[in-house]
Amino acid sequence: SFVTINQLNNKEIVCLSGGNTKACTIMILGLPSVPLNTSVTAIDPNTVVVSWSPPLNSSQCIDHYVVSIVNGNTISNKNTSNSSTTLVINQLIQGMNYSFSVTGVDKAGRTGGE
């Protein structure tokens, strides 16, 4: 049966279901923390692997990561398929300058720091 959220008191939600009142406690997590130890390794002149470590608070529900690729005024984003901590970036142009940043995305679609 569906439960209607009636009231939010700090971290306690009082739910009404079929006339019966039931209490449950939920934990509201903050935004995902910054991934750690980001590194970029060249595979060939047009391909790199970006890798990182999960945030210290790995209990956060990271759904996936977004790697932002910046080349001048152009920004493109690549998503990992899951909570993988590596991503291969190909079709780079030799001689161009690129920068990369990694952001975690939680299961609610919220992002944290870069």
Side-chain angles (χ1 to χ4, degrees), residues 28-36 52-66 102-114:
I28 300 172
L29 295 174
L31 295 175
S33 299
V34 176
L36 304 172
W52 58 92
S53 299
L56 287 178
N57 185 358
S58 60
S59 66
Q60 293 172 324
C61 299
I62 299 288
D63 182 64
H64 66 280
Y65 293 92
V66 176
V102 180
T103 305
V105 181
D106 68 12
K107 294 190 185 295
R110 303 176 308 160
T111 60
E114 298 180 6

Side-chain angles (χ1 to χ4, degrees), residues 4-42:
T4 302
I5 298 174
N6 186 25
Q7 180 181 344
L8 178 61
N9 291 327
N10 232 349
K11 292 183 182 177
E12 184 176 319
I13 294 179
V14 177
C15 308
L16 296 177
S17 175
N20 296 324
T21 300
K22 298 182 181 192
C24 56
T25 303
I26 62 169
M27 181 180 201
I28 300 172
L29 295 174
L31 295 175
S33 299
V34 176
L36 304 172
N37 306 316
T38 301
S39 66
V40 179
T41 305

